Amino acid sequence: MPKHNADIAAIFEEIADLLEIQGANPFRIRAYRNAARMLSELPQEVSQLLQQSMDLTELPGIGTDLAAKIKEIAESGHCSLLDRLHTELPPAIAELLKIPGLGPKRVKALYHDLDVQTVEQLYRAARDGRIRVLPGFGEKTENNILQAIEAHADPVRRFKLVVAAQYAEALEKFLAAIPGVTHVITAGSYRRMRETVGDLDILVTAAAADANQAVRQFTNYDEVADVLSAGITRASVVLNCGLQVDLRVVKAECYGAALHYFTGSKAHNIAIRHMAQQQGLKINEYGVFRDKTSIAGGTEASVYAAVGLAYIPPELRENCGEIAAAKTGRLPTLIERSDLRGDLHAHTQATDGHNSLREMALAGLSQGLEYLAITEHSRKLSFVHGLDTVRLLQQCDEIDQLNTELKGITLLKSIEVDILEDGNLDLPDSVLERLDMVVGAVHSGFNLSRAKQTERILRAMQHPHFTLLAHPTGRLIQRREPYDVDMLRIIREARKRGCFLELNAYPERLDLLDTQCRMAKEEGVLISINSDAHSIYDFANLRFGVGQARRGWLEKNDVLNTRSIQELRPLIQHTMSL
Ligand SMILES: [Zn+2]
Ligand SMILES: [Zn+2]
């Protein structure tokens, strides 16, 4: 039964795939894909919004037709359109889309021209040399298909953090309600806030007498598709969505040791165990032992203390210097979500955002923000109605007016101006200088050489009004690799010019990368953790940006938007006085 946004998103993706194979209207296909992406990243569960009888057409990109389909899926578990598509196309054909290099267009051609419906048929067709003669395929593609199928040993699928969170949070709630269960926590890479998560490791504490009951309820959870193994205190299952979940039930006195053990990373744990050995201690998932006597393990802090270390936050546990820092009292005091006082990247319905200026301001206020920069796209992005000079100045007037009415939050006048391929900005100086700050971003020309891409961005940053480089690598998790760029040079230029880099908290971006955050910190360049909100819901994503910042060792002081607006103004105006 699809319950979570990601489940509904998966159904929409499959519909889009099948429609594309059928050669349906591209706009219709695009609508399903956009809705799928929006849903998979929507922080609030749609099922809850429906319970609050919210009108789903208020969600970005959702018209009455899609709203009805979401409702149908959430309530019945089925989508009649998908059921119908399954009767029109062979059931296994969507499997072909999972072969790297085969998009819907190619699958459609294979189906129509060679009647290929399954992976086996595809393999035979490739082996027999029947694919290379199809228009748009060729010998190289045929070889790639063969290799891809041969290498297709079911690679482990990883889930974006925001998607894993939907499943983890629902499961945690379910487990916490089981009688006898005291603590529930998801460990592993999820707890370390990795960008993607391969599986969930959930740890619960319960008395020995209650352990098996917890395991049995877990394996009966209504989203479980497959029970891989089940014992007295542990079980592994696969959920309907394909995510594997491992449960461990431990006694309270082992909680810290088990949590440390299952949080990882592997490299961190090996290093800690090695330290323990040198001190004549043994660490495992049950505790820290001297000979056979347990000397620690109830809390993680006790585990670290037993080997002479300060407590190391999960996001740092990658064996990348955190152990040495813990030994010498140099661990950072990592930034927290509550440290953020503003957000310097948001869109409204003037471009591709979904809400009005006022709605965005009030939503930001309700999330504890004291200021919010409105950063629409510029005219180059005509497909999202990017602003030209006239419309931007109009919006500035609206913001000035709104600021006289708003209490508790200030809107900043800004723009997400396109960095053109030659490094120029997409709007004239005469208008940029009238803004509170200028956010620059690359939205095209991702394939420039490293030298050209770096030069392009450096030139943009040398612009007198440039304030902040948005989503600095351009990557989209699992969809687009970062463009090739010399980030250290960009960071050093930012320091020289008094500019800043963004850590975009949009779950698909999480851009700047964690290692680059650390680089910026070492170079003394402040990072702005921004939502890039396109709707009032997106501010909730700031927590994922904070997670990434913590992985990058950032402290409150390393982050631009922890400043009050009074402290912020001179920082963002600095470049304007050049
Ligand atoms: Zn952008
Ligand atoms: Zn944006």
Side-chain angles (χ1 to χ4, degrees), residues 52-95:
Q52 299 157 14
S53 41
M54 183 186 130
D55 179 2
L56 295 183
T57 60
E58 285 177 27
L59 292 171
I62 301 298
T64 46
D65 179 57
L66 285 173
K69 290 209 167 55
I70 293 172
K71 195 156 179 252
E72 181 195 3
I73 297 166
E75 285 170 359
S76 73
H78 283 274
C79 176
S80 44
L81 170 62
L82 183 61
D83 294 345
R84 202 192 77 217
L85 287 168
H86 278 153
T87 67
E88 293 169 2
L89 284 166
I93 202 155
E95 283 296 304

Side-chain angles (χ1 to χ4, degrees), residues 345 377 416 441 443 471 509 532:
H345 189 160
H377 292 292
E416 181 178 1
H443 291 113
H471 42 73
R509 290 193 180 272
D532 199 355

Side-chain angles (χ1 to χ4, degrees), residues 354-374:
H354 189 69
N355 293 94
S356 67
L357 279 173
R358 183 187 299 272
E359 286 165 344
M360 292 302 279
L362 295 178
L365 181 64
S366 77
Q367 297 283 314
L369 303 178
E370 297 165 26
Y371 50 90
L372 175 66
I374 301 300

Side-chain angles (χ1 to χ4, degrees), residues 314-329:
E315 295 91 340
L316 297 184
R317 298 181 196 170
E318 301 293 341
N319 197 27
C320 286
E322 75 278 11
I323 294 173
K327 225 184 265 179
T328 51

